[in-house]
Amino acid sequence: MQRHSAWAIFAFLMVAPSQVSSGDEDRPNVLFIAVDDLRPSIGCYGDPHAITPHMDRLATQGVQFNRAYCQVAVCNPSRASLMTGLRPDKLGVWTLPIHFREAMPDAVTLPQWFRKFGYTAVSHGKIYHNPTPDPPSWSEPIRDLPRLPPFYPDGTRARIQKAQEALPERDWRKNNLRGPSTASPDLPDDQVLDGARTNMAIEDLRRLGQSKEPFFLAMGYIRPHLAWVAPKKYWDMHDPAKLPVLTDQHVPKNSPAYAMHNNSELTHYVDLMDLPKPWDDRVVEPENARHLMHAYYACVSYIDAQIGRLLNALEEEGLADKTIVVLWSDHGWKLGEHRGWGKMTNYEIDARVPLLIAGPGVECAGQQTDQLAELLDLYPTLCELAGIEVPKFVDGASLVPILRNVDAKVHDGAVNQYYRRHEGQQYMGYSIRTNDYRLVEWRDFSTGEVTARELYDHRTDDSETESIIDSAEPSVIDELTALLLATHPRKGLVMTPSIHAQWKPDGSKGKLTFENATDTLVRVLPITSAGRRGKAKRVQPGGKITLNARIGSVYVLESHDGTIQQIQSLSKPTETVVIQRDVPSETGRMLVTPVR
């Protein structure tokens, strides 16, 4: 991984206004819809319990991918990979804490690339992993939500405090316990978070649709991510007695001890603190499981209604025929499968995602495909559909051949991966899915040495209940292994970006002052040695702040309007950083102002 000197000038690609040629105004718009934690529990995917008429409608207007897979089954690395067009091993982002800008400062995101060709890129909601929205990707600053009414009942805060007081001192939830995992407030759609954001997205859709320039409008929905909060009317749509509850599940047989996740995501919530792990003797009680199922399906129906509002606005504005619509989820989700609740494995239930693409250039509207696809493919696919250059740096493959012929093959295998810590050791599990098999190869994270393998035959075991790695034909294993190694050779990996690892606080105290000489708000975020961004401090235009810091501390400076992205560190007891915009060079790069 590339190393940088102490006060290196970090180059950051800033998209200058493009020279729009004649005909650019005819390029299609892009409506880019992300839904967090959405497994294919959608009517068009054959789920009889889902009430999703609007996503079903979108499926009839485009191509439905039945075998689409994320790169990593957790929010941050999945979204970072999709949005940069880079595989996680190249980008250096595999976990929740590390922002891709620290791992690869010069990464060019999908909306940045579209801006280069004259697009106005605007974002709402969760496109990147919260709370790291990456302002440089967008043409306009991301607008804040209006204040919304509480969705938890009175007394919730006291309930949380009481539960925290009862926890042992070293319990990680002592200062990090959340409210109940579910809520059904009797509120209008737009008085709950995703509905309010949909209002804002529709406003922008109508505004941008009047412009001569094409738009790239991104709307990222939070639900059905936890907490499962949806207006009461969406709960009332579903009869919980008719929802399936899985009671016969087991951890996949012959799998290594570190293959499954421990369900800890749900134990953040005050009502699920004692949720059993998949390998425990205890199980989630059927009535509790039924309630959680009910909450998930209610949230999916709520989001479906908001997507319907977006699609209706697109039609009302006369934009439907000239707008590419893509709907995707960052990963799947277990609702009891493998005795798990959540994501964070390499298995089908977590890696498989819904993917719908409709609009200009989609010649097979209303059809489904069983051809393999990766979320990584969306970058080149949208470029080709929009008639703009496909950058050479992207790792994915365009899905346009499938949009023209649903039987066309783009991939022989789809790869996803997951990082795991277990008993003091670090592992990276790589999984390749073909038409018939899923091979999982676990490796020592720092050396790349193989530590375990799993193999599932989807011709006979679509639920991946038992690994047959010990009884399978060696030729099958060899063929799958060769396919995996073609894109993911065995090598050691480094978790912490060098941009952070080079600075190690020595304990000496100091003061670091930031002076904002620009006309835009700048956020200053401390970075831990592990790469996690801390709570931001705001520096108003013309203002300054002084932080008590330690020698070697690292900070990210990020402007609200996306024009400034800097890395700074304290190297002596007292230093001042003057934040100002440098004139972009001919290559379109923004340079960091050095410390004085």
Side-chain angles (χ1 to χ4, degrees):
M1 190 173 289
Q2 184 180 0
R3 296 281 170 178
H4 302 274
S5 61
W7 297 113
I9 295 180
F10 291 96
F12 176 71
L13 181 67
M14 300 302 298
V15 182
S18 64
Q19 297 294 324
V20 181
S21 62
S22 61
D24 281 359
E25 61 271 15
D26 295 327
R27 285 184 174 145
N29 305 307
V30 177
L31 179 57
F32 191 71
I33 305 173
V35 187
D36 203 351
D37 286 11
L38 178 65
R39 58 193 249 156
S41 291
I42 309 171
C44 59
Y45 277 88
D47 190 325
H49 307 285
I51 302 176
T52 54
H54 304 291
M55 286 188 275
D56 298 348
R57 168 171 45 126
L58 181 59
T60 67
Q61 299 169 349
V63 171
Q64 173 179 317
F65 288 80
N66 293 330
R67 290 182 177 176
Y69 297 90
C70 67
Q71 267 45 71
V72 184
V74 73
C75 299
N76 184 43
S78 174
R79 292 165 183 265
S81 175
L82 185 160
M83 297 299 288
T84 61
L86 303 175
R87 292 199 179 277
D89 283 5
K90 182 182 291 185
L91 185 60
V93 176
W94 304 281
T95 59
L96 287 177
I98 296 174
H99 192 289
F100 71 88
R101 287 292 177 205
E102 279 86 73
M104 186 177 286
D106 288 339
V108 182
T109 66
L110 177 59
Q112 276 183 293
W113 187 256
F114 268 71
R115 289 176 63 193
K116 180 179 179 181
F117 293 90
Y119 278 76
T120 301
V122 175
S123 177
H124 293 282
K126 186 176 179 180
I127 297 298
Y128 299 97
H129 180 57
N130 291 344
T132 50
D134 194 51
S137 287
W138 311 108
S139 305
E140 304 172 2
I142 297 173
R143 289 188 282 145
D144 292 332
L145 272 173
R147 188 174 182 86
L148 299 173
F151 50 77
Y152 284 135
D154 293 342
T156 297
R157 183 178 296 278
R159 178 184 177 187
I160 296 170
Q161 291 174 342
K162 182 178 180 181
Q164 285 178 312
E165 290 170 0
L167 288 170
E169 284 301 322
R170 294 190 176 184
D171 192 296
W172 57 274
R173 294 164 297 188
K174 193 74 173 176
N175 298 305
N176 190 30
L177 187 62
R178 301 172 185 172
S181 60
T182 68
S184 55
D186 194 2
L187 291 170
D189 285 16
D190 62 2
Q191 292 299 293
V192 179
L193 184 146
D194 285 306
R197 282 186 171 141
T198 301
N199 282 358
M200 299 170 74
I202 290 173
E203 290 174 6
D204 282 337
L205 187 152
R206 298 190 192 281
R207 171 175 62 89
L208 296 170
Q210 301 299 314
S211 174
K212 292 182 180 180
E213 292 77 29
F215 64 74
F216 185 108
L217 178 60
M219 178 62 226
Y221 289 104
I222 292 290
R223 308 296 175 239
H225 189 287
L226 289 165
W228 287 328
V229 179
K232 181 179 181 297
K233 68 179 180 180
Y234 296 101
W235 289 71
D236 294 343
M237 287 181 178
H238 298 270
D239 181 355
K242 295 180 179 179
L243 295 175
V245 175
L246 302 175
T247 59
D248 59 348
Q249 296 292 294
H250 301 279
V251 173
K253 296 179 181 177
N254 302 325
S255 61
Y258 41 80
M260 279 294 294
H261 188 250
N262 62 6
N263 292 342
S264 63
E265 184 175 4
L266 277 76
T267 62
H268 283 76
Y269 297 85
V270 66
D271 57 328
L272 297 175
M273 294 168 62
D274 296 322
L275 194 78
K277 299 176 176 61
W279 47 82
D280 286 349
D281 292 334
R282 293 188 303 121
V283 298
V284 178
E285 293 299 324
E287 284 309 304
N288 193 15
R290 189 175 302 281
H291 175 72
L292 296 177
M293 295 280 285
H294 190 188
Y296 187 88
Y297 276 91
C299 286
V300 172
S301 292
Y302 171 52
I303 296 306
D304 179 78
Q306 309 320 303
I307 291 171
R309 294 173 58 209
L310 264 182
L311 298 178
N312 289 343
L314 198 67
E315 294 174 357
E316 291 165 4
E317 295 299 311
L319 299 170
D321 291 338
K322 51 184 176 182
T323 301
I324 301 162
V325 182
V326 56
L327 185 149
W328 55 277
S329 173
D330 50 357
H331 43 69
W333 180 274
K334 292 183 293 296
L335 291 171
E337 289 87 356
H338 306 313
R339 297 182 67 178
W341 292 84
K343 55 259 187 183
M344 305 183 191
T345 76
N346 279 318
Y347 295 127
E348 184 86 359
I349 191 64
D350 292 346
R352 181 171 171 249
V353 297
L355 176 61
L356 305 173
I357 303 177
V362 179
E363 299 177 11
C364 297
Q367 298 186 44
Q368 300 183 17
T369 179
D370 289 331
Q371 294 298 324
L372 297 166
E374 299 179 314
L375 288 183
L376 199 65
D377 301 330
L378 284 178
Y379 202 131
T381 300
L382 291 176
C383 288
E384 186 172 351
L385 285 176
I388 66 177
E389 177 187 348
V390 177
K392 294 180 181 180
F393 58 76
V394 296
D395 289 329
S398 173
L399 300 173
V400 169
I402 299 175
L403 300 177
R404 294 173 177 164
N405 175 5
V406 292
D407 294 323
K409 179 186 287 189
V410 170
H411 293 292
D412 291 321
V415 179
N416 60 281
Q417 59 190 101
Y418 202 82
Y419 165 82
R420 187 81 74 208
R421 292 185 66 93
H422 179 73
E423 295 183 349
Q425 300 296 315
Q426 298 181 81
Y427 303 91
M428 182 65 78
Y430 296 90
S431 173
I432 186 158
R433 174 68 154 91
T434 64
N435 287 335
D436 295 332
Y437 297 97
R438 177 180 297 280
L439 173 74
V440 184
E441 181 174 284
W442 289 94
R443 304 173 189 169
D444 181 277
F445 186 81
S446 60
T447 68
E449 180 182 355
V450 177
T451 59
R453 291 190 295 180
E454 305 169 65
L455 179 65
Y456 301 91
D457 188 342
H458 276 261
R459 298 170 301 176
T460 58
D461 183 17
D462 208 39
S463 297
E464 298 179 341
T465 61
E466 182 174 2
S467 170
I468 59 168
I469 192 69
D470 295 328
S471 59
E473 289 290 335
S475 60
V476 171
I477 300 173
D478 291 344
E479 181 179 349
L480 293 168
T481 301
L483 193 59
L484 174 62
L485 293 178
T487 54
H488 293 77
R490 293 167 183 153
K491 63 180 182 179
L493 302 171
V494 177
M495 177 61 70
T496 307
S498 59
I499 208 168
H500 302 146
Q502 66 173 335
W503 289 104
K504 295 183 179 180
D506 63 5
S508 302
K509 295 181 180 181
K511 291 185 180 295
L512 183 56
T513 298
F514 294 96
E515 296 181 0
N516 186 358
T518 75
D519 59 358
T520 184
L521 174 70
V522 175
R523 300 193 315 155
V524 177
L525 302 99
I527 299 295
T528 70
S529 59
R532 185 183 297 274
R533 287 186 171 193
K535 187 175 181 180
K537 300 287 187 181
R538 296 189 170 199
V539 191
Q540 299 294 336
K544 69 177 181 179
I545 61 170
T546 299
L547 303 178
N548 294 320
R550 294 187 181 277
I551 304 296
S553 300
V554 179
Y555 296 85
V556 169
L557 281 64
E558 186 176 78
S559 67
H560 184 56
D561 64 5
T563 59
I564 298 170
Q565 187 85 10
Q566 302 179 13
I567 302 290
Q568 299 288 358
S569 182
L570 181 63
S571 61
K572 51 189 178 182
T574 302
E575 288 185 303
T576 298
V577 176
V578 178
I579 307 167
Q580 58 188 15
R581 291 190 182 93
D582 291 331
V583 178
S585 67
E586 293 180 359
T587 60
R589 294 180 180 275
M590 182 69 70
L591 304 180
V592 168
T593 303
V595 172
R596 76 162 188 252

